[in-house]
Amino acid sequence: MKTGIISIIGPPNVGKSTLLNQLLGQKISIVSPKPQTTRNRITGVVNDGDSQMVFLDTPGIHKANNPLNREMVKNALRSLTGVDLIILMIDINFPYPEKLHNALHELKKSSKPVLLLINKIDLIDKNRLLPIIKIYADFFPFQTLLPISAKTSEGIGKIKNEIIPFLPEAPPLFPENIPTDLNERFIASEIIREKIFLLTHQEVPYSTAVIIESFQEEKGNPVNIHATIYLEKKSQKGIIIGKNGRMLKKIGISAREDMEKMLGTRVVLDLRVKLKKEWRRNQGFLRELQITD
Ligand code: GDP
Ligand code: MG
């Protein structure tokens, strides 16, 4: 049996969470067109014959300008210790390896095998591929460079074959039928956050945090979920609630549908909106959100 941990790192918005969901064949990590959607480290387990691959999806590596973002970048870099292989992902539309200078320096220090995934090839002319692959191959001794599309799943099948040779002989870390170590409460809070990232703009999604206050399962009844959405400013609270509560209703309906899919049962979702000034600077609250330990 071969078992190993693989960290997926890269700039924000390149498609790391989309890839994790594709590898798992189910959605556990939230995705949006906005950068910095993922804040915590998300674990996804893929079993393939005699091997178990434990993938870590991470927040994007970027220049952090506040305590929340600094913790997010730390989460990504922390995921480099104790792993067997690193997947570095980039977006083919932004082929600037020099921007990754610092990250590549960290990777060199770790002396772990690094696989480069060049994502979003569905968006470009295939003639542009080879020159870009060459730029990166000259820049860093990657184990392999693979062009893929996490969205259409083109090239995804090859990833496992590149990883398996680097996994150590070891017993599995997770039982075969468990795709993640995340609990349903956490995923429920992430689903709400994803809807806010998809439905609101500018500072609002970045100023949003979600806490699940209660999660009650009772056989034969719908699951009852109470959640509080925290915003930093009164005006943001107004945007989340919307005219006559319309926005909050939209968020609630869309989140409930995803929760019902995840849990395979009906859900009654109760959302409240509260003000928590400057929560992004509040270490205690970041700990409560499991962003810091
Ligand atoms: P992350 O921040 O690196 O985790 O990126 P996400 O997985 O959240 O994806 C960011 C955006 O890129 C989302 O709108 C995705 O739908 C989109 N995306 C991800 N992979 C692909 C891809 O292969 N092709 C295209 N066209 N879009 C993609
Ligand atoms: Mg992500």
Side-chain angles (χ1 to χ4, degrees):
M1 185 86 200
K2 295 181 107 185
T3 299
I5 305 176
I6 304 108
S7 181
I8 308 171
I9 64 162
N13 225 30
V14 296
K16 300 178 294 298
S17 301
T18 307
L19 173 72
L20 181 74
N21 294 336
Q22 278 285 5
L23 290 167
L24 282 180
Q26 81 183 73
K27 183 163 166 184
I28 61 158
S29 195
I30 62 169
V31 168
S32 94
K34 298 187 179 71
Q36 291 143 35
T37 307
T38 309
R39 289 177 184 161
N40 308 66
R41 200 179 75 187
I42 310 286
T43 311
V45 186
V46 175
N47 294 290
D48 188 273
D50 287 341
S51 29
Q52 181 170 82
M53 290 163 265
V54 179
F55 290 97
L56 308 177
D57 177 20
T58 64
I61 294 172
H62 59 282
K63 276 213 180 88
N65 54 6
N66 67 47
L68 166 66
N69 288 47
R70 274 198 287 281
E71 292 302 331
M72 283 161 55
V73 173
K74 260 200 232 160
N75 275 343
L77 294 177
R78 211 181 286 142
S79 78
L80 297 180
T81 51
V83 306
D84 301 289
L85 187 133
I86 294 155
I87 289 182
L88 176 64
M89 187 183 248
I90 58 141
D91 180 335
I92 192 148
N93 298 291
F94 303 97
Y96 312 116
E98 60 285 355
K99 287 212 165 161
L100 293 170
H101 197 272
N102 290 342
L104 290 171
H105 183 71
E106 292 292 319
L107 294 185
K108 228 172 220 158
K109 273 199 308 200
S110 80
S111 65
K112 302 224 162 105
V114 183
L115 179 77
L116 184 77
L117 294 185
I118 304 173
N119 192 31
K120 308 200 186 181
I121 57 165
D122 56 297
L123 296 177
I124 66 142
D125 184 339
K126 295 284 183 291
N127 295 330
R128 285 185 50 213
L129 263 176
L130 272 179
I132 293 174
I133 291 177
K134 187 161 180 338
I135 295 177
Y136 279 91
D138 290 344
F139 209 81
F140 186 88
F142 292 107
Q143 212 52 244
T144 329
L145 302 92
L146 283 181
I148 64 155
S149 168
K151 196 169 197 167
T152 68
S153 80
E154 188 180 350
I156 296 285
K158 294 197 185 127
I159 299 174
K160 291 178 197 164
N161 301 339
E162 296 294 338
I163 292 173
I164 291 170
F166 294 100
L167 302 181
E169 296 279 340
L173 292 163
F174 290 86
E176 196 163 328
N177 54 350
I178 306 265
T180 179
D181 64 350
L182 302 172
N183 58 45
E184 289 167 342
R185 261 180 114 106
F186 175 78
I187 301 179
S189 72
E190 288 286 275
I191 290 173
I192 297 167
R193 235 167 37 74
E194 182 189 67
K195 302 314 167 199
I196 295 170
F197 262 80
L198 293 173
L199 291 167
T200 68
H201 305 286
Q202 284 148 1
E203 270 301 289
V204 178
Y206 299 101
S207 302
T208 298
V210 176
I211 298 267
I212 303 295
E213 309 289 353
S214 71
F215 190 110
Q216 284 170 313
E217 285 175 287
E218 232 178 273
K219 226 181 152 99
N221 288 325
V223 177
N224 260 296
I225 302 175
H226 292 250
T228 306
I229 302 172
Y230 288 97
L231 277 313
E232 294 192 307
K233 291 184 190 152
K234 222 173 153 186
S235 57
Q236 297 166 341
K237 207 179 139 185
I239 291 169
I240 288 285
I241 293 168
K243 206 172 169 198
N244 301 321
R246 249 180 264 160
M247 178 55 93
L248 192 60
K249 195 161 179 197
K250 222 164 153 180
I251 294 165
I253 289 172
S254 172
R256 179 171 52 76
E257 283 171 0
D258 278 17
M259 290 172 183
E260 289 183 337
K261 250 184 253 160
M262 163 177 82
L263 298 167
T265 172
R266 279 190 52 222
V267 168
V268 177
L269 176 62
D270 176 52
L271 293 178
R272 262 158 240 200
V273 187
K274 280 191 190 161
L275 203 60
K276 195 164 192 88
K277 285 200 176 124
E278 303 222 321
W279 67 258
R280 286 184 283 181
R281 301 183 173 280
N282 180 334
Q283 289 294 336
F285 194 62
L286 293 180
R287 219 168 296 132
E288 205 175 322
L289 297 168
Q290 299 168 44
I291 292 166
T292 331
D293 17 70

